[in-house]
Amino acid sequence: MLTVSLVPRPLAFQRNARYSTPEKANSWAEVTGYNNFYEFGTGKEDPAQHAGRLRTRPWTVVVDDECAAPGRFALEDILKPHPLEERIYRLRCVEAWSMVIPWIGFALADLIRRFEPTSRAKYVEFTTLHDPKQMPGQRHDVLDWPYVEGLRLDEALHPLAILAIGLYGKELPNQNGAPLRLVVPWKYGFKSIKSIVRIRFTEAMPRTSWALSAPREYGFFANVNPEVDHPRWSQKTERRIGSSNFLARQPTLPFNGYGDEVAGLYRGMNLARHF
Ligand SMILES: Nc1nc2c(c(=O)[nH]1)N[C@H]1C(S)=C(S)[C@@H](COP(=O)(O)O)O[C@H]1N2
Ligand SMILES: [Mo]
C-alpha cells in the first residue's frame, strides 16, 4: 500500500525572535495556495494544484566544485546537524505583492561552513530538480531548465539567509519548495529557489535563470529596491496578499525592510546598475 503522507508532518523548533517580524503572518491557505513555482505552471494557483506529484523522499543533494568537502548527501544527512528555528519573514515578490511567512529552517551559513569553501569560492549556486515527469511545467520553455539561482558568498553567509524545510510548524508543502529551499528575505522572491538538488561553490558569478531569460528585467543581485523600477512596472509599493482592501498598497522598503542588517554588504556599489 502507498503510505506517502500528504499531510505535512509537524517539526520541533525554537522561535528566533531577533529575526522575526512582529507583523501578522499570512494564513496557511494564502502561503500555500498563492505563489510561484514555474516547474508546475505559471499561474499562482498552479503550484498548489500540481506540486502533489513531486516525490521528495528519497532526496539527494550534490555539493561540489570550490570546496574541500564535496559529496552527494542524503537529505537526512544534510539536515541532521542543524537545530530548527522558526523565523517570520516578509517575502516581496518582484511582481509587487508581498506576504509574511513563518518559516522553519536553519542558517545557510552553518551548512556552507561544513563543506569548507576554498579561497577561490566567491559565489554559491543552487539548482532545482530537473524532472519533467514530476514537474510538468518543465515541458514548456518558459525558462531554461533547471532553475538556477545564486548568491555572492558573503550574502550566503549572512545570518538572515536560511534554508527552509518547513512553514507554520510543519514540513514544507511541495508547492513551497519541499524538501529544501532557500529563503533570502531582503531580495525579490525569485532568488529563494525551491526543491534544491545541487549546491555549487564557484569563482565566477552564476548564470541565474531569470537574469539569463530577461537580463534587462532581472539582475543577479535582485535586492528589493523601491528606487529601481522594473522596466514594466514600479517597485515603489506592494500589495500585501490577503489585505481586506484589495486595492490598498503599502510602501516597499529598501532591502524589504532588512536594510539595517544587510545594507553593509553593498557599501560602495551602485545598486541601480547592480540591480
Ligand atoms: N525552482 C523555483 N523556485 C522558485 C520559483 C520557481 O518558479 N521555481 N519562483 C520564485 C518566486 S518568483 C517566488 S515569489 C517564490 C514564491 O514562493 P514562496 O511563496 O513559497 O516563497 O518562489 C521562488 N522560487
Ligand atoms: Mo516572485
Side-chain angles (χ1 to χ4, degrees), residues 167-237:
L167 59 82
Y168 266 116
K170 300 185 183 103
E171 285 187 337
L172 283 177
N174 288 353
Q175 60 267 37
N176 294 96
L180 182 71
R181 52 106 26 107
L182 187 64
V183 182
V184 192
W186 69 94
K187 292 180 181 282
Y188 290 118
F190 69 84
K191 296 296 287 184
S192 291
I193 182 172
K194 298 175 170 179
S195 305
I196 296 166
V197 294
R198 186 176 182 197
I199 300 174
R200 228 182 118 213
F201 298 97
T202 66
E203 190 164 11
M205 183 181 275
R207 295 160 59 79
T208 56
S209 295
W210 284 104
L212 275 178
S213 83
R216 289 182 54 254
E217 303 186 21
Y218 312 104
F220 174 81
F221 285 96
N223 292 314
V224 174
N225 191 342
E227 299 307 317
V228 177
D229 288 339
H230 185 280
R232 291 182 280 133
W233 58 81
S234 165
Q235 293 293 20
K236 284 200 166 41
T237 63

Side-chain angles (χ1 to χ4, degrees), residues 8 20 32-33 66 104 121 126 171 181 183 211 213:
S20 288
T32 64
E66 289 297 341
I104 310 283
F126 303 86
E171 285 187 337
R181 52 106 26 107
V183 182
S213 83

Side-chain angles (χ1 to χ4, degrees), residues 46-158:
D46 284 337
Q49 262 184 47
H50 304 298
R53 68 170 87 179
L54 173 65
R55 281 180 42 242
T56 59
R57 297 288 194 284
W59 192 267
T60 309
V61 181
V62 173
V63 182
D64 62 354
D65 284 4
E66 289 297 341
C67 62
R72 265 181 88 85
F73 303 90
L75 180 70
E76 297 68 40
D77 296 326
I78 287 273
L79 303 183
K80 212 178 286 161
H82 301 286
L84 296 177
E85 285 186 350
E86 179 181 64
R87 297 175 178 215
I88 306 176
Y89 279 170
R90 288 179 292 276
L91 166 92
R92 171 58 160 78
C93 179
V94 74
E95 296 163 293
W97 49 268
S98 63
M99 284 202 210
V100 174
I101 304 180
W103 299 111
I104 310 283
F106 54 89
L108 173 61
D110 292 344
L111 179 127
I112 286 178
R113 291 203 176 93
R114 284 168 50 205
F115 300 110
E116 303 170 41
T118 68
S119 59
R120 276 201 295 275
K122 299 284 183 297
Y123 297 90
V124 193
E125 180 191 271
F126 303 86
T127 307
T128 295
L129 178 70
H130 188 195
D131 182 355
K133 281 201 219 59
Q134 298 187 66
M135 296 178 143
Q138 291 176 334
R139 293 175 204 154
H140 310 278
D141 303 334
V142 276
L143 286 173
D144 190 6
W145 310 109
Y147 197 101
V148 172
E149 258 311 333
L151 297 170
R152 218 169 53 193
L153 187 59
D154 62 335
E155 299 179 306
L157 293 174
H158 191 282

